[in-house]
Every structure is written in C-alpha cells, then in structure tokens.
Amino acid sequence: MADSKREIERKYEATAETRLPDLSRVAGVFAVAHEGVTELDAVYYDTEDLRLAADSLTLRRRTGGSDAGWHLKFPVASGIRDELREPLSDTLPRSFAGLLRSRVRDRALVPVVRLVSARDVHHLLDAEGALLAEVSVDRVRAERLTGGGATAARTAWTEIEAELADDGDPAFLDAVERRLRKAGIRPSASPSKLSRALAETAPKQQKKQQQKKQQKEQQKEQQQGKKSPAEGTRRKPTAGDHVLAYIRHQAEAIVALDPAVRRDLPDSVHQMRVATRRLRSALRTYRKILDRDATDPVGAELKWLAAELGVGRDLEVLDARLRARLAELPRTLVLGPVRGRLRIWSAATRGGSRRRTVAVLDGKRYLALLESLDALLAAPPLLPAAARAPGRELSRAVLKEYGRLADRTGHALELPPGHDRDLAVHEARKAAKRVRYAAEAARPALGRPAKRFATRMKAVQSLLGDHQDSVVARETLRTLAVQAHAAGEPAFTWGLLYGREEAIAAARERELPEVWRRASRPRLRAALEG
C-alpha cells in the first residue's frame, strides 16, 4: 500500500524580484528557518486527451528533494489534496495503475509536461521548534513533452507556495495569507503547477479549439437562459435534461469512488454501491424518457456491479451490527471467547470480500460498463416524452414507483410473522428505495414536494432495512452459535443475541403500519402531482 498524506497548501503569484515578507510576525510563529534551495525535476504523466487533468488528478515522477519518487494526488477540496507516494522506479507502480484504471481504462499514460523547479524553502516554527508550515519561493521552468508539435513549448514563472505541516490547523494558513497580502502578494489564478504549465504550453490549434468550445458553450447557455429574439421565450430544462443530469452525476460518482474503494477508505464501498443503485433505478424508473432497448443492457450490468459491491458492504454492516449488539450486553452475560470468535469471523469474511471487490474493478466487464455509460451519455436514447416539461413526466414516474411500493407493503402487512413475511418485507424495502431514488432525481424539477416525499420514503426504507438487517444477523448468529458449540464453547451469548435481534424485528413490524400511514398521506401525493 502506498504511503499517503493530506496535503493542504495555497499558491501565490510572484515574480523574480518578489521577496518574502518577515513571516516571523505571523501569529504563532516563533522563528523562520531558511532551509536553502532544492532542485526538483518532475515529469507529469497523463493520457493523450488529458483525462487525469480533466478531473484535477496529478501523476508525476520526481527526482530531487526529500520525497523523490512517484506521486499521485487526488483532489479533496480547494487547496486540499490526498497525496500518495511510491518509491522511485523506472515504471509506473502497479498500485497507481489500479487507482487510475477507472479514468485511464485502456489508454496509455505518456509524459506530458516536465517541470524543473528551484525551491527556496523556509520553515515556520513554533516556540518548541515544531513545524507549522513550509513556505517556499519556486522558480519554475516547464516544457511540454507531448502535443506540442515539432518544437516543444516552454514557459517559466515564479510562485510562492505555503503548505501546512502534517496535522496542522488550516486556520494558520489564513494568518500566513494575511501577511502575504499585506506585502502585496496575491493568490495564484492556477490551482496547480501542472494546470498552469498545460495552459501556457498548449498548442495554438488546441487553444483555438478550446476557445471555440467555450464560445459554443456560452452560446448554448445564452440560448437556454435568455429570451430568443425570434421566439421571445425562455428555453427551460426538459424532462430529459433533468434525468440525464442525474444519470451523469451518478456515473461520475462511480468513476470517482473507484480509487477510494481500492484504498479501502471508510464508507467508500457503500457510496459506490449507492451510486450504482441510483443509476440503475433512474434507468428503470424513467423508461418513458430513455429507450429501454438501449438502457436495459446497461441496467443489467449495473445490477451485477451492485451485487458484487454488496458482498463487501453487507459484511461491513453486519460486522458493525454484531459488534454493537455485543457491546450492549453486560459482561456477566458474555460467556466464552465470543469477541475473539467474532473477530476471526470478521477477518475471514471481510478480507476475502475486499480481494473479490478489487478483482471486479480490475476486470474487463467493469471497464466495459464504464465505456457503455460514456456512450449512453454521449448519445442518449431519448424518447418523445424527454422533450416535455419535467413536472408532469417526472411526478408520474415517481408515483408509479410509489404504487409498486404500496402493493408490496400491503402484501407484507397481510402476512403472519415468519419466513414469508420476512421475504415480503425485504421486497417492500427494495421498492421503497426505488421510490426514494426516483424522488431525489426529480427534486431539482419538482422542488419541496419531491424532497418531502423522498424524506418520507427514506423513513419507510430505514425501518424495513433495519428489519432485513435483523433477519441477516440472526442467520449469522445461528452459524456462529453452531461453530461455538462444536468447539466446546458456551453458545449462551450467541443465543441471547439471536433473541434480541428477533425482538428488534418484531418491533419494526409493529411500527410499520404507522410509519406507512404517515408516508402515504394523500396530501403528500397530491403535492407531488402538482
């Protein structure tokens, strides 16, 4: 696993004549240590069409300085990035290739820019000598390595960079910035050295293409947002516009979450699975907007991906639930090596599920799904209803999903407690999730009614979800009890936990009629219809 750190920094415009002000006058700074000048030589890699740069990702191989090696940076927020590091080598580290797979896919990574920097480093220290931040004056020379024509394009500039020390307070950089501004130094217009180098060394033809693209986008915005002289009407978003925007957002979320899942970041599998389910739900719900002949094959692959992601996510949820239930018991009721057996079960099941998830993300089927999503968005199979006003079309689709939920909930309530009811409640839960996702997708068009409707459906989904989690937990607790008994261990605690989960499921079944009554109020449905 690559080393990682959270990088919090700010960049400022400078010239060759710029001098740093006295930074010892910044609040909290006891001393400024001049560390001298370091020569850095970095080659940045990307695809020919600059896919990494388009998503603000940075991949470089750098020599010189204390952190020579391969660096991969993911944006977190403005001025904040997660930086991963691998040792210096001649080829791209395998771990980085995996983290970039969802964006690069089958495209080759090639050198695009070389940056040579002379970094004049100053350390801001507190009274105990601890590092608060590093402020450097960087004199940069950039050379375009690809797409620059016969003669490589070059540029040069000077900038100031202030980087917060590890675990430092971001507010400290505010104090540094106030001091720099007072000296007439202003924030840089470029978020990174790479983005500036790409912009300033872009071929003339490419710059013209970018300018034409920007002009077309501006003209399109004017046509959509201003009154047309010929028609005198405002072009409003259609039902298709809203659905496609939602689908695009979820597709982009899948790609963006891929590296987080590979890094095993908290909640990443869950978020990626949710994006997959939301996308599939939108394709199924809005069949009057998008042609099923084109979307059904994509939906089938999304169902497959959600199922694969579900293996790891369901185990995460189950493990957390069992640990929480065990923690609630008094010590006198925990008989035998219960916690140890639970840890062994968790390590065995979750370790295997993680390897399986990464294998899925490395597979050709997954990459083919990403390509099909790109193709779907590039040439959406819109039906005539897509050109209509969104209000009626979207609300109609949401209410159709609601009707399916009402049927399944009514069926579940009619059944006596037992296995058949458990299955019926699970089916109602899946329907509730689809209604919620449909309402969330329609919210930009329908406003508060859709938001309120989604909130009520989430309440139903949460209750039914807790019931289903209890069903799954009981199955696992029975298995653990059998294993404990076979090993000669007391099975009392496992049986006690089983009984508690059984009581929780019964309580959720008693609560369901009232929760459903509140969620199915006629006025709420009428407001959604508008």
Side-chain angles (χ1 to χ4, degrees):
M1 182 66 69
D3 295 332
S4 64
K5 62 168 290 187
R6 177 63 55 87
E7 179 185 80
I8 303 177
E9 64 179 20
R10 300 181 188 181
K11 297 182 181 297
Y12 301 88
E13 299 287 353
T15 67
E17 292 73 31
T18 301
R19 296 292 180 268
L20 287 176
D22 183 4
L23 296 177
S24 65
R25 300 179 64 181
V26 175
V29 175
F30 181 77
V32 177
H34 185 203
E35 301 295 317
V37 178
T38 300
E39 296 292 332
L40 305 174
D41 192 339
V43 175
Y44 290 76
Y45 290 77
D46 206 333
T47 58
E48 289 282 358
D49 55 356
L50 301 178
R51 290 189 165 209
L52 301 186
D55 286 345
S56 300
L57 271 68
T58 301
L59 172 66
R60 73 186 177 199
R61 181 185 184 274
R62 188 162 78 181
T63 57
S66 60
D67 61 346
W70 287 90
H71 302 164
L72 177 57
K73 299 184 181 184
F74 290 93
V76 176
S78 179
I80 304 176
R81 294 185 291 183
D82 280 342
E83 180 179 281
L84 308 183
R85 298 177 180 176
E86 287 282 14
L88 196 63
S89 62
D90 292 335
T91 58
L92 178 68
R94 186 176 178 181
S95 63
F96 283 7
L99 293 173
L100 296 172
R101 190 172 174 82
S102 65
R103 290 178 170 88
V104 174
R105 300 177 198 174
D106 60 353
R107 282 75 171 176
L109 285 167
V110 296
V112 292
V113 166
R114 181 188 180 193
L115 294 181
V116 178
S117 304
R119 170 165 290 181
D120 191 5
V121 180
H122 301 75
H123 284 177
L124 308 189
L125 309 174
D126 65 12
E128 297 177 354
L131 181 66
L132 296 171
E134 178 181 289
V135 178
S136 63
V137 179
D138 296 345
R139 290 173 172 80
V140 185
R141 289 176 286 122
E143 177 184 0
R144 189 72 168 236
L145 301 178
T146 184
T151 303
R154 294 179 174 86
T155 187
W157 70 89
T158 301
E159 68 178 33
I160 294 173
E161 182 175 292
E163 181 175 349
L164 190 68
D166 294 346
D167 301 321
D169 183 359
F172 178 71
L173 291 185
D174 294 336
V176 174
E177 180 164 316
R178 285 193 293 270
R179 184 64 184 161
L180 293 175
R181 282 180 173 272
K182 192 173 182 180
I185 299 171
R186 296 292 178 260
S188 173
S190 299
S192 68
K193 290 182 174 66
L194 176 61
S195 63
R196 181 166 183 170
L198 288 172
E200 295 186 7
T201 63
K204 292 182 178 180
Q205 183 179 2
Q206 184 177 329
K207 290 180 179 179
K208 290 180 179 179
Q209 291 175 347
Q210 291 175 347
Q211 291 173 353
K212 288 182 179 180
K213 184 178 179 181
Q214 292 175 352
Q215 290 174 356
K216 287 182 178 180
E217 290 176 350
Q218 291 173 356
Q219 290 173 358
K220 186 177 180 180
E221 291 175 357
Q222 291 173 356
Q223 291 172 356
Q224 293 178 352
K226 294 184 178 181
K227 290 186 178 181
S228 169
E231 300 177 2
T233 58
R234 182 183 295 271
R235 198 288 198 182
K236 295 182 179 179
T238 63
D241 292 334
H242 282 283
V243 173
L244 287 175
Y246 183 79
I247 289 174
R248 182 174 290 104
H249 180 71
Q250 302 309 325
E252 290 172 350
I254 293 173
V255 172
L257 286 164
D258 178 300
V261 172
R262 294 173 185 271
R263 294 170 60 195
D264 200 22
L265 296 185
D267 207 38
S268 57
V269 174
H270 171 58
Q271 293 299 328
M272 189 174 185
R273 188 187 187 192
V274 168
T276 304
R277 284 178 160 178
R278 282 176 169 154
L279 182 46
R280 176 172 176 252
S281 179
L283 295 178
R284 295 180 64 185
T285 297
Y286 297 106
R287 291 176 173 177
K288 299 293 185 181
I289 306 296
L290 297 170
D291 190 349
R292 287 186 58 182
D293 290 341
T295 61
D296 279 358
V298 179
E301 291 303 282
L302 289 168
K303 180 180 181 180
W304 159 77
L305 178 58
E308 292 291 348
L309 294 171
V311 174
R313 171 57 183 171
D314 290 344
L315 288 172
E316 285 181 3
V317 172
L318 179 57
D319 180 51
R321 187 181 185 96
L322 295 181
R323 290 178 184 274
R325 294 288 178 262
L326 183 59
E328 294 170 356
L329 293 179
R331 290 188 177 182
T332 54
L333 298 181
V334 181
L335 306 183
V338 176
R339 290 184 173 83
R341 180 165 292 280
L342 185 56
R343 282 195 299 269
I344 293 172
W345 169 85
S346 177
T349 54
R350 294 187 63 184
S353 69
R354 169 162 169 72
R355 288 191 296 271
R356 177 175 174 175
T357 298
V358 174
V360 166
L361 300 184
D362 282 337
K364 293 182 179 179
R365 186 175 180 180
Y366 168 67
L367 293 188
L369 170 57
L370 298 183
E371 292 290 343
S372 67
L373 289 172
D374 285 350
L376 180 71
L377 290 166
L382 297 174
L383 295 174
R388 298 171 188 159
R392 184 178 180 184
E393 294 299 327
L394 301 190
S395 61
R396 181 185 297 174
V398 174
L399 291 173
K400 185 176 181 180
E401 294 293 348
Y402 169 81
R404 182 181 288 107
L405 170 61
D407 292 341
R408 293 187 182 183
T409 302
H411 176 62
L413 291 172
E414 291 173 354
L415 295 173
H419 178 69
D420 289 344
R421 181 180 237 191
D422 290 344
L423 291 178
V425 169
H426 183 45
E427 291 300 313
R429 176 200 185 187
K430 291 190 288 186
K433 190 174 296 184
R434 280 184 61 180
V435 181
R436 174 192 166 193
Y437 291 162
E440 288 175 348
R443 181 181 170 185
L446 304 181
R448 290 186 61 187
K451 179 182 178 181
R452 292 177 59 199
F453 198 79
T455 300
R456 296 295 174 86
M457 294 304 110
K458 183 178 180 180
V460 176
Q461 175 195 333
S462 297
L463 183 142
L464 298 177
D466 196 30
H467 182 279
Q468 175 62 16
D469 289 347
S470 175
V471 172
V472 175
R474 277 179 278 158
E475 294 174 356
T476 302
L477 287 168
R478 185 183 183 281
T479 299
L480 290 169
V482 170
Q483 293 174 353
H485 178 74
E489 302 166 5
F492 169 81
T493 302
W494 302 114
L496 182 59
L497 293 173
Y498 185 100
R500 289 198 168 194
E501 287 292 352
E502 203 169 37
I504 289 171
R508 299 299 170 265
E509 291 177 10
R510 290 192 300 270
E511 295 167 7
L512 178 57
E514 176 59 22
V515 172
W516 176 244
R517 185 190 66 80
R518 292 197 301 267
S520 58
R521 289 174 179 171
R523 283 196 304 173
L524 193 62
R525 299 197 304 274
L528 189 63
E529 290 177 309

